[in-house]
Amino acid sequence: MHKTTPRPRFPRLFTGCGYATFSAQPACASMQRLITNLENLCLMMKELHKSKNPWRRDKIDPCDESEETEKKMLIRKVRSILNRLTPTSEEVLTKEFLALNVCHSKDINEVTSVFFMKAIDEPKFVDIYTRLCRKQVEEEIRTTSSHVLHFRNQILRIAQEEFYRKKEEPVGTDARDKLKRRRLGVIRFMGHMYLKDMISIRIIHFCNVELLKSISDIPCNTEGYQTDDDSVEVGLVLLETIGKRLKEKEYIRNAEIQRGAVRVDYRAPPPRINQEQKFPLDVTFETLDKARPLVSPRTRYLIMNLMELRARGWVPRRAPEVPKKIAEIREDMRKEQHVNEENEDNRWFAEKCTCSDRCEELERKVEDLNRKYSRLLMMVRRTRKSHRRTKLKKQCITRTSKF
């Protein structure tokens, strides 16, 4: 009897894995493809570009007591603190940052530069960085007798340089997008600094005037006129950030006017957007409303969203994504799990209710069918009786006729 040789089992490394055919062509083809891929990989590894000046971490000798070494150590500590800063570790790391005594350091310019760049590059953590900046300013006020706030002033100086960086950037799509992200981060950080009472409304007003200049000074003939949509979008982000605080201050001012604490000259002309006084929120929104036909569709919808936000009392439709503590994340997960379980129970109860309703409906149909069947059965019995009676009558009639 002829014995069949078992088919060899090939490893899964090859693309033609499994039982090979008698000719073994798929296995050879997969081996050839594997060899080709390995050769291409080796060529790619040989052709990898190596930078002439790759980044390497600076090696700092702790025994070296020079100013340059102290400067590098201070910047490294500041970066380490900012990289580990989260809502959970905020209290501990704030104490570490204040212990560095940055305001009295000679390298305060480099430290504030690192701090500022970290704040504008991570917009979700801007509130935490602003609180840390506030704590540093309060510590500086407490420990020094001078009225000059070095840390705050350096932050404002860097913010001013970044605000006017548009004129120095090269033209290009990538450079424009990068500049836009940086400007959004700068204006968001400045808005949060205003919310923490570290800058005045005058600075915010000036930034708003500069950003909305292209739509506030519109010529009479708008044919061919182009607005600066990027600056308008940055201005909308600023208004979205500080809008709620401006509304609260407006309520306070109106209450003081009603009490008679503030005198108002009603004969004065209405304020314009470029005047140096309290923030003209109503005039700003009128300017935005008039500029909607001139701006791009994206900017137009952003203006409409901001107007809807103001109409809702500056309450966002969705809660903004902010960093949370670990306990808050666990609490949210527990609530979500509870809601999912409730939804599952409600779905099961609804299905059960629908099943019971269907059963009741089927029972009613069965009862109706039983009634119809009983009626038909009674009709059949009656017809049978009538047939019997007619048959008996016929038999009687035939019998009587025979007699």
Side-chain angles (χ1 to χ4, degrees):
M1 188 174 178
H2 180 67
K3 292 185 179 181
T4 59
T5 57
R7 297 178 180 179
R9 180 74 175 180
F10 289 90
R12 293 188 179 183
L13 178 63
F14 309 119
T15 55
C17 60
Y19 291 103
T21 57
F22 289 102
S23 60
Q25 291 180 359
C28 294
S30 63
M31 178 65 75
Q32 187 64 32
R33 285 196 296 271
L34 180 62
I35 294 172
T36 305
N37 293 336
L38 290 175
E39 291 177 353
N40 294 335
L41 183 61
C42 293
L43 291 174
M44 290 173 61
M45 292 178 67
K46 289 181 180 179
E47 296 175 359
L48 285 177
H49 175 71
K50 294 184 178 180
S51 177
K52 295 181 180 179
N53 298 319
W55 180 87
R56 292 186 178 89
R57 185 178 180 183
D58 296 335
K59 294 182 179 180
I60 301 175
D61 187 8
C63 299
D64 190 3
E65 297 181 357
S66 62
E67 294 183 359
E68 188 67 23
T69 304
E70 292 179 358
K71 175 182 174 181
K72 290 181 179 179
M73 287 294 294
L74 178 62
I75 293 176
R76 180 177 291 185
K77 289 179 182 179
V78 171
R79 288 185 186 275
S80 175
I81 291 172
L82 296 179
N83 289 335
R84 294 180 288 126
L85 192 61
T86 60
T88 306
S89 61
E90 181 180 0
E91 186 177 355
V92 178
L93 295 179
T94 300
K95 294 180 180 179
E96 291 184 13
F97 185 81
L98 297 179
L100 297 177
N101 201 8
V102 176
C103 58
H104 300 291
S105 175
K106 299 178 182 179
D107 307 317
I108 187 172
N109 295 340
E110 289 77 6
V111 173
T112 51
S113 178
V114 171
F115 186 93
F116 186 83
M117 293 305 168
K118 191 72 175 175
I120 66 175
D121 289 340
E122 298 180 0
K124 291 185 178 179
F125 290 85
V126 66
D127 193 25
I128 300 177
Y129 294 131
T130 313
R131 288 199 295 268
L132 180 59
C133 184
R134 172 77 180 182
K135 293 287 182 63
Q136 176 61 42
V137 172
E138 292 176 353
E139 182 70 15
E140 187 175 355
I141 293 173
R142 189 180 63 84
T143 56
T144 60
S145 59
S146 176
H147 297 287
V148 180
L149 304 176
H150 299 284
F151 191 83
R152 170 186 170 275
N153 293 344
Q154 290 295 331
I155 291 287
L156 291 180
R157 181 186 60 80
I158 300 173
Q160 185 178 5
E161 292 177 358
E162 290 291 330
F163 187 79
Y164 287 108
R165 190 177 288 275
K166 180 181 179 182
K167 301 177 182 179
E168 303 174 2
E169 287 290 333
V171 179
T173 305
D174 296 338
R176 182 182 174 185
D177 294 342
K178 183 179 178 181
L179 172 64
K180 183 179 176 180
R181 287 194 299 269
R182 289 175 70 91
R183 294 180 71 194
L184 288 172
V186 169
I187 208 67
R188 193 176 284 111
F189 182 57
M190 292 180 67
H192 281 270
M193 288 184 69
Y194 168 72
L195 296 179
K196 298 294 186 296
D197 298 325
M198 285 189 288
I199 59 176
S200 63
I201 190 63
R202 184 176 59 85
I203 298 176
I204 297 296
H205 187 195
F206 175 78
C207 295
N208 184 68
V209 170
E210 288 292 324
L211 294 171
L212 303 182
K213 186 183 292 184
S214 62
I215 61 174
S216 60
D217 300 334
I218 301 175
C220 298
N221 186 12
T222 58
E223 185 178 357
Y225 181 74
Q226 293 183 354
T227 59
D228 190 358
D229 293 337
D230 292 342
S231 297
V232 174
E233 184 175 348
V234 175
L236 295 176
V237 172
L238 176 62
L239 292 173
E240 183 180 357
T241 305
I242 66 173
K244 188 174 182 180
R245 171 64 67 85
L246 294 177
K247 180 184 175 182
E248 293 173 356
K249 288 196 172 184
E250 187 177 356
Y251 282 160
I252 295 172
R253 180 177 174 82
N254 293 336
E256 290 177 351
I257 291 173
Q258 290 179 0
R259 292 199 310 266
V262 178
R263 294 183 180 180
V264 182
D265 188 5
Y266 295 99
R267 296 174 296 178
R272 296 181 58 188
I273 195 171
N274 56 356
Q275 288 185 353
E276 291 277 345
Q277 47 187 325
K278 75 180 185 65
F279 198 92
L281 195 61
D282 297 333
V283 180
T284 304
F285 273 90
E286 290 177 3
T287 305
L288 292 172
D289 193 16
K290 292 178 182 178
R292 279 196 295 176
L294 302 176
V295 297
S296 62
R298 170 184 168 82
T299 309
R300 188 182 307 124
Y301 286 117
L302 290 175
I303 292 173
M304 294 171 63
N305 292 339
L306 186 64
M307 290 182 174
E308 291 178 0
L309 181 63
R310 187 192 183 193
R312 291 196 301 267
W314 301 99
V315 179
R317 187 176 299 173
R318 295 179 180 177
E321 296 182 0
V322 294
K324 300 179 180 179
K325 296 182 178 180
I326 297 177
E328 295 176 353
I329 295 174
R330 290 174 179 171
E331 183 67 19
D332 293 342
M333 291 177 63
R334 189 186 63 79
K335 290 181 180 179
E336 185 177 358
Q337 185 178 2
H338 182 66
V339 170
N340 293 335
E341 290 177 356
E342 287 185 351
N343 294 335
E344 186 69 22
D345 295 340
N346 294 334
R347 187 177 63 81
W348 178 82
F349 183 72
E351 291 179 355
K352 186 176 180 181
C353 292
T354 53
C355 291
S356 61
D357 295 340
R358 290 177 184 175
C359 292
E360 291 177 359
E361 186 177 358
L362 289 174
E363 288 177 358
R364 287 195 296 269
K365 289 183 179 180
V366 170
E367 289 178 358
D368 294 338
L369 290 175
N370 289 332
R371 291 194 195 97
K372 291 180 181 179
Y373 177 74
S374 59
R375 290 175 185 175
L376 290 173
L377 188 61
M378 290 176 64
M379 291 175 62
V380 168
R381 288 176 180 175
R382 288 174 184 176
T383 52
R384 285 179 180 177
K385 287 182 180 180
S386 63
H387 284 303
R388 288 176 184 174
R389 288 174 184 175
T390 53
K391 189 176 181 180
L392 289 172
K393 285 181 181 180
K394 287 181 180 180
Q395 289 178 0
C396 292
I397 292 171
T398 53
R399 287 177 183 176
T400 51
S401 62
K402 287 181 181 180
F403 288 111

